[in-house]
Each structure stands twice: as structure tokens, then as C-alpha cells.
């Protein structure tokens, strides 16, 4: 680039050039110099929304991939707005993740201050200093369900032998681990008898069935209810065929270095949400019946379930 500019200056000295030609040459040089500048590296995708009042401390509230980032924001932003209206010592920022693995990397790095993880992720987050402050939703609602096509030939679990089954992630407790344990109890070797595909999201697990890419898809009740609302034509061609037993529902967790006043305020707001019409509407948008008091000890039942699953079926995390 420097040689190009030098050559141009030499031309100015060696020959007379019209003003128009001078202008054109200068413009060309400037464009070349701009092209020579190294472009900044792309930043990692950020799914968090516009931060609230930046004069206050910002606490990230990361929800695991219940839905794709856009739908998750639509469902959970009203809760964040409500909490921010009540907080005086800080503000929350909603953060979504592209898939389960990205979400798990975040909390293992102690990134977000608040989490809404599934019960297996709850156990993992406890290891790095997060603690449970509430349970999100009724325990009865936390179960795996299988979706098949209305016009398909799947009638009983053994009909899945030799077929493809779709799940959002290998670490999705209600939407993969519990359904696979259900199949295991039905006499299916999930590592040999079926082909398991992990497709990134609850909606994708369902859509793979609709598109005929999988014979069955595993999910859990809230995403299936949302899919029926947002995709009624596609949902009409599908049906729920089996469901697992229930376990404890998703948790809300706080990192151990968050100020006590913030932790206690948010806990109280979550537990009192159903007491107002506004709170009921917020819960409805998230497909959550209520928030309930819970602590780390509440999730010990999940540890026992996981130990049994890993002994009889497979490791939760597939490397």
C-alpha cells in the first residue's frame, strides 16, 4: 500500500495532472488503504437483550434452551422486566444460548449470576458454586413424552427398533435421559436397537418427526404445548404416544458471590409471582404453573436417578 502512495506522489512531481485526475487518484488510494485495514474478529453471538439501567450492577439470568433464543426471549422477557421493576440494587439481563452445550459451558465457567437449568444441569452447577433458590414449575409436569406422526406405524415401543429417535441434547433430562430410560425399561437397547440423534432444541426434536427424519421425537410437556400453539397445522399431524414418570422440575439458581440482598429479593419475587394477575400472566407466557421453595437438597433425588441411568444405559455426557 505504501508503495502505491509513493508511486502516486512521484507522478505528481514528474508530470502535470489535472485536478480531476488528482482527485480520482487520491480517492483510489484511500479506498486501497481502507481495504488493507485488518477487519476486527467477529464477536461470539450474544443472545442477551438490551441491558437495563447501566448505572446499576447487571446480573445475567441465563435460561437453558427450552426454546430457540427468539421464543425463549418472548417467553421470559416479561419475567425479567417484572423483576427489574422491583429491584433497586441491581438489574437483570436475560441470556439465551444456542444449544445445551453452549449453556453448560457458560455456567461451568461461572459466567451468569442466575441460572434456570434442568435438574441434571443443576447438579453440575452446584459443583462450581451455584445454589438452588426455587423450583420452576410443578414437579408433575417434569416428564418425558414421545411424539410420533398420526399417520405413522409406531404403536408400541418395540416398533422403534431400527428407527431414528430425535432429542434436543444428550443432557436433556426430561427430553432425552428420561425417555431413553423409559425405552430401556421396555426392553430396548438404546445404544444398539435405535439410532439416537441430538438436534439442538426441543422444537427441532419435534420438527424432525413432522418432516419424517425421525420415527419419534422426545420432548417434555411445555415445549409440546407451545409447539401446538405456534404450529397448529404441523401439530395436527402429530400426537403424543407415551410419557415417562415425573421427577423434580427445573431449578432457579444463584451464584455464590451474588449479594445476599439481591438473592433474597429475587427469591421472594419469584415465590410470590402467582399472587397477582400480572404474575399469573407472566407464568402463563413461560408455561410455568408457579415457582416453589427449593434448595440444593431438593435435587438429591436427581443424583440417584442419574446414577441408575448411567449404570444401566449410558453416560449422560456423550464425548
Amino acid at each position: 500500500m505504501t508503495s502505491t502512495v509513493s508511486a502516486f506522489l512521484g507522478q505528481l512531481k514528474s508530470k502535470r495532472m489535472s485536478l480531476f485526475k488528482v482527485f480520482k487518484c487520491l480517492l483510489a488510494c484511500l479506498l486501497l488503504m481502507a481495504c488493507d485495514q485488518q477487519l476486527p474478529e467477529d464477536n461470539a453471538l450474544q443472545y442477551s437483550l438490551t441491558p437495563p439501567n447501566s448505572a446499576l450492577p447487571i446480573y445475567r439470568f441465563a435460561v437453558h434452551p427450552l426454546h430457540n433464543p427468539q421464543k425463549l426471549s418472548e417467553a421470559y422477557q416479561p419475567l425479567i422486566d417484572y423483576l427489574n421493576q422491583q429491584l433497586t440494587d441491581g438489574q437483570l439481563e436475560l441470556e439465551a444460548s444456542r444449544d445445551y452445550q453452549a449453556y453448560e459451558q457458560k455456567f461451568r465457567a461461572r459466567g451468569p449470576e442466575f441460572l434456570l437449568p434442568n435438574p441434571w444441569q443443576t447438579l453440575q452447577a452446584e459443583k462450581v458454586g451455584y445454589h438452588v433458590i426455587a423450583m420452576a414449575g410443578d414437579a408433575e409436569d417434569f416428564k418425558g413424552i414421545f411424539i410420533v406422526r398420526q399417520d405413522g406405524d409406531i404403536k408400541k415401543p418395540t416398533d422403534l427398533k431400527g428407527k431414528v429417535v430425535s432429542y434436543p441434547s444428550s443432557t436433556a433430562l426430561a427430553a432425552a435421559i428420561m425417555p431413553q430410560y423409559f425405552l430401556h425399561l421396555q426392553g430396548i437397547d438404546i445404544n444398539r436397537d435405535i439410532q439416537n440423534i441430538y438436534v439442538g432444541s426441543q422444537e427441532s426434536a419435534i420438527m424432525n418427526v413432522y418432516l419424517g427424519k425421525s420415527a419419534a421425537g422426545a420432548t417434555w410437556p411445555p415445549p409440546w404445548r407451545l409447539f401446538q400453539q405456534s404450529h397448529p397445522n404441523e401439530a395436527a399431524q402429530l400426537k403424543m404416544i407415551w410419557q415417562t414418570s415425573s421427577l423434580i422440575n427445573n431449578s432457579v439458581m444463584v451464584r455464590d458471590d451474588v449479594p445476599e440482598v439481591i438473592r433474597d429479593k429475587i427469591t421472594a419475587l419469584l415465590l410470590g409471582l402467582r399472587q397477582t394477575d400480572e404474575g399469573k400472566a407472566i407464568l402463563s407466557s413461560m408455561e410455568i404453573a408457579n415457582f416453589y421453595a427449593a434448595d440444593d437438597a431438593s435435587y438429591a433425588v436427581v443424583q440417584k436417578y442419574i446414577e441408575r441411568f448411567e449404570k444401566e444405559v449410558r453416560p449422560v455426557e456423550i464425548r
Side-chain angles (χ1 to χ4, degrees):
M1 184 62 236
T2 303
S3 60
T4 302
V5 175
S6 299
F8 166 67
L9 293 175
Q11 290 180 23
L12 285 179
K13 292 178 181 178
S14 63
K15 62 176 72 173
R16 299 175 63 183
M17 299 177 67
S18 70
L19 184 60
F20 178 69
K21 288 183 178 180
V22 170
F23 175 76
K24 285 180 64 178
C25 290
L26 281 172
L27 181 59
C29 289
L30 289 172
L31 289 173
L32 285 170
M33 290 174 67
C35 292
D36 258 6
Q37 299 301 313
Q38 186 173 359
L39 294 175
E41 293 182 1
D42 289 338
N43 292 326
L45 288 177
Q46 297 293 324
Y47 292 116
S48 54
L49 300 183
T50 303
N53 183 358
S54 58
L56 294 172
I58 303 299
Y59 300 100
R60 294 156 59 195
F61 193 107
V63 180
H64 81 281
L66 295 158
H67 316 296
N68 66 50
Q70 179 181 345
K71 286 187 177 180
L72 189 140
S73 295
E74 292 170 357
Y76 278 83
Q77 189 59 39
L79 173 66
I80 300 303
D81 292 340
Y82 172 81
L83 295 175
N84 282 336
Q85 289 168 10
Q86 314 299 321
L87 293 173
T88 57
D89 299 306
Q91 295 280 273
L92 298 176
E93 178 181 319
L94 179 64
E95 182 168 310
S97 301
R98 67 179 180 272
D99 55 33
Y100 279 70
Q101 287 66 43
Y103 182 75
E104 289 154 15
Q105 288 172 5
K106 289 178 182 180
F107 70 69
R108 282 175 170 147
R110 287 176 55 85
E113 287 79 9
F114 288 87
L115 304 175
L116 199 158
N118 74 29
W120 178 81
Q121 292 165 339
T122 298
L123 299 179
Q124 307 311 303
E126 286 177 358
K127 297 176 182 177
V128 294
Y130 289 88
H131 297 288
V132 175
I133 59 173
M135 179 178 74
D138 290 338
E140 171 62 27
D141 211 27
F142 195 85
K143 56 191 172 186
I145 60 176
F146 289 86
I147 305 300
V148 298
R149 286 193 61 90
Q150 294 273 11
D151 58 4
D153 57 358
I154 304 300
K155 308 298 181 186
K156 56 187 183 298
T158 52
D159 291 337
L160 289 176
K161 288 188 175 182
K163 304 283 199 311
V164 175
V165 181
S166 54
Y167 317 84
S169 168
S170 66
T171 62
L173 182 55
I177 294 169
M178 293 169 69
Q180 288 180 348
Y181 195 66
F182 171 89
L183 294 177
H184 167 74
L185 295 177
Q186 298 295 317
I188 295 177
D189 184 336
I190 70 102
N191 299 302
R192 297 181 180 181
D193 292 341
I194 60 176
Q195 181 184 349
N196 304 294
I197 60 171
Y198 302 102
V199 294
S201 72
Q202 306 282 347
E203 183 174 303
S204 292
I206 300 169
M207 281 300 297
N208 268 263
V209 181
Y210 170 75
L211 296 172
K213 295 182 178 180
S214 60
T219 184
W220 66 300
W224 173 233
R225 291 194 293 263
L226 182 62
F227 186 87
Q228 290 172 299
Q229 296 168 14
S230 57
H231 303 286
N233 294 332
E234 291 83 354
Q237 299 182 49
L238 305 172
K239 65 179 179 180
M240 184 185 78
I241 191 168
W242 314 302
Q243 61 182 18
T244 74
S245 56
S246 299
L247 199 57
I248 191 170
N249 215 319
N250 298 325
S251 72
V252 180
M253 305 186 81
V254 62
R255 208 174 64 198
D256 55 12
D257 57 354
V258 171
E260 186 175 338
V261 63
I262 295 291
R263 180 199 67 197
D264 292 348
K265 180 67 173 178
I266 289 178
T267 302
L269 288 169
L270 291 175
L271 297 183
L273 204 58
R274 194 160 181 79
Q275 297 174 7
T276 66
D277 290 339
E278 181 183 6
K280 291 177 182 177
I282 291 169
L283 289 166
S284 178
S285 74
M286 297 184 295
E287 288 286 340
I288 290 177
N290 201 3
F291 286 94
Y292 300 95
D295 57 21
D296 292 352
S298 305
Y299 287 79
V301 63
V302 181
Q303 183 62 47
K304 294 179 181 178
Y305 187 97
I306 293 299
E307 288 172 358
R308 187 166 65 249
F309 176 81
E310 291 198 315
K311 180 180 179 181
E312 299 179 19
V313 184
R314 65 164 174 87
V316 169
E317 294 185 275
I318 299 175
R319 302 298 182 181

